[in-house]
Amino acid sequence: MKKLQSKRKTKGLSPILGTLVIFVVALGSFSFMLYLFAQSIISIITTRVNVNAQALILVNSSSGKAYLQYTMINHNNFQVFITHMNINNQTFVNVNIALKPNETVENIIQLPTTTSFQLGDQYTVAFVGYTAFGTPFSVSTTALAVNATNMMS
């Protein structure tokens, strides 16, 4: 009888250890999956904005008008929004441009006549906006002022 009782005690301990091992493995797996999910979300939110921009200032010397010709390409896997454009740290144009992932936008807009642009000078053009996650950003490029008398009327 003594042998039967000692075997029962040993068998009674085995299901508890088995349940504990399964619980620890499940908890570890869940924790690892949660860690990977959090890492992917953080990497998306903190990803550097990759928008390429090119600009050219077209000056019509006969009419005194100036135009900004620009091209922007969104190389991100998320949407970005451009709210305004600065030229030499002055806000010249308020815009509402939404660039989807891998989308390109090209446009020519007339600049206000309050500032004159000198042919051959270079100007810093900044495209300012925010990402789909609300993170503000700006992309700067240098624009050369060229004669556009024959291009624009």
Side-chain angles (χ1 to χ4, degrees):
M1 280 276 189
K2 289 183 182 181
K3 288 184 180 182
L4 286 176
Q5 289 177 352
S6 67
K7 284 186 178 182
R8 285 186 183 172
K9 287 182 182 179
T10 306
K11 286 185 177 182
L13 187 59
S14 181
I16 293 172
L17 286 176
T19 304
L20 186 61
V21 167
I22 289 174
F23 178 74
V24 167
V25 169
L27 184 62
S29 299
F30 177 73
S31 299
F32 183 69
M33 288 188 309
L34 188 61
Y35 169 77
L36 291 178
F37 176 73
Q39 286 295 96
S40 67
I41 294 296
I42 288 171
S43 70
I44 289 172
I45 292 174
T46 60
T47 299
R48 184 172 168 244
V49 176
N50 187 7
V51 175
N52 289 349
Q54 295 177 344
L56 192 63
I57 296 176
L58 308 172
V59 179
N60 188 327
S61 54
S62 61
S63 68
K65 294 180 181 178
Y67 302 86
L68 178 65
Q69 177 182 356
Y70 63 89
T71 303
M72 288 185 291
I73 305 169
N74 181 7
H75 293 289
N76 299 297
N77 60 356
F78 50 86
Q79 191 170 16
V80 296
F81 303 92
I82 308 298
T83 56
H84 59 280
M85 299 173 197
N86 297 340
I87 299 177
N88 287 352
N89 295 323
Q90 295 178 343
T91 301
F92 270 89
V93 182
N94 290 317
V95 294
N96 188 15
I97 300 171
L99 277 171
K100 295 177 183 170
N102 298 312
E103 184 178 18
T104 300
V105 64
E106 297 177 307
N107 200 4
I108 298 175
I109 54 174
Q110 185 174 349
L111 296 172
T113 57
T114 55
T115 302
S116 63
F117 295 94
Q118 301 301 317
L119 292 175
D121 285 355
Q122 293 185 347
Y123 299 88
T124 302
V125 179
F127 301 90
V128 182
Y130 58 94
T131 67
F133 309 109
T135 307
F137 77 96
S138 67
V139 176
S140 297
T141 187
T142 301
L144 180 64
V146 297
N147 190 354
T149 304
N150 297 330
M151 297 179 186
M152 312 299 265
S153 56

